[in-house]
Every structure is written in structure tokens, then in C-alpha cells.
Amino acid sequence: MKNISIRVIIGILFSAIGLASLFVTKQALTAAVWLSFGNGLILSDLRLTGVDDKGNVYQKPIPKSRTITAILLIVFAVLLLFFQIFLDMQQASAKVVSQL
């Protein structure tokens, strides 16, 4: 439990919300935003432990590739959120035009 920080807990919560929204609302784009952001948070801060030759437990450093992947997932979540806003705005404007 020592290697789980508040960011990892929030990431797990966001991922659970994304999975639940996929099953309940069946909106893949909304679920992808939640899952991408949650998984990015988990990857960015999850610390793993290892055992050295003498039997001592130590925390492994976070690899650079995992940090880059986490940043890309968070950026992807923001881009998907903007895309979702764009699609919602188009649907709202189409609804207004059809009412005229």
C-alpha cells in the first residue's frame, strides 16, 4: 500500500468511472476520455519495488518510456475531450437549425 499515492488512487477511480460509463451509457468516446486520463495517472506515479542481491527491498525508478506514455495518454484524453465538446456543439447547432 505504500507504493500507491493519491494520483494512483484518483487514476483507478477515473478508470472505474470510464469502465462504468462504457457499460451504462455505451458512449465509447466519453469512456475513452475517462480511461485514458485514469490510465495516464496510474502510469505516471505507480512505484514498483524490487529486491537487490543482498535481499534488501528498494523502489525501482519510473522508466522514461512509461512517463512518456503516461503524458501521451493524458494529452490524448484532453484531445478527446475537446473532440467530444466539438461534436456536442455540432449536435446542438443542428438541433437549433432543425427547429427553425
Side-chain angles (χ1 to χ4, degrees), residues 10 14 25 30 35 38 41 43 46 52 54-55 58-59 65 68-69 73 77 82 86 89-90:
I10 292 171
F14 282 3
T25 65
T30 304
L35 285 167
L41 285 176
L43 279 178
L46 184 63
D52 62 3
K54 298 177 184 177
Y58 69 97
Q59 278 192 342
S65 61
I68 291 171
T69 304
L73 278 171
F82 284 136
F86 174 74
M89 297 285 269
Q90 274 192 335

Side-chain angles (χ1 to χ4, degrees), residues 12-100:
I12 292 170
L13 179 69
F14 282 3
S15 295
I17 290 170
L19 187 62
S21 70
L22 181 62
F23 289 142
V24 172
T25 65
K26 295 183 176 42
Q27 292 182 356
L29 188 58
T30 304
V33 171
W34 285 99
L35 285 167
S36 181
F37 191 72
N39 290 334
L41 285 176
I42 292 170
L43 279 178
S44 70
D45 204 39
L46 184 63
R47 306 231 179 231
L48 303 175
T49 57
V51 179
D52 62 3
D53 296 335
K54 298 177 184 177
N56 298 326
V57 177
Y58 69 97
Q59 278 192 342
K60 295 179 180 178
I62 298 174
K64 188 175 182 179
S65 61
R66 201 171 87 186
T67 304
I68 291 171
T69 304
I71 291 170
L72 288 175
L73 278 171
I74 292 171
V75 168
F76 184 63
V78 171
L79 291 174
L80 283 174
L81 183 62
F82 284 136
F83 184 61
Q84 178 73 44
I85 292 169
F86 174 74
L87 289 178
D88 289 344
M89 297 285 269
Q90 274 192 335
Q91 286 178 351
S93 66
K95 187 181 274 189
V96 168
V97 169
S98 69
Q99 290 178 352
L100 294 177

Side-chain angles (χ1 to χ4, degrees), residues 1-6 8-9 12 46-47 49 59:
M1 221 36 205
K2 291 180 182 179
N3 61 346
I4 296 180
S5 67
I6 191 73
V8 173
I9 293 171
I12 292 170
L46 184 63
R47 306 231 179 231
T49 57
Q59 278 192 342

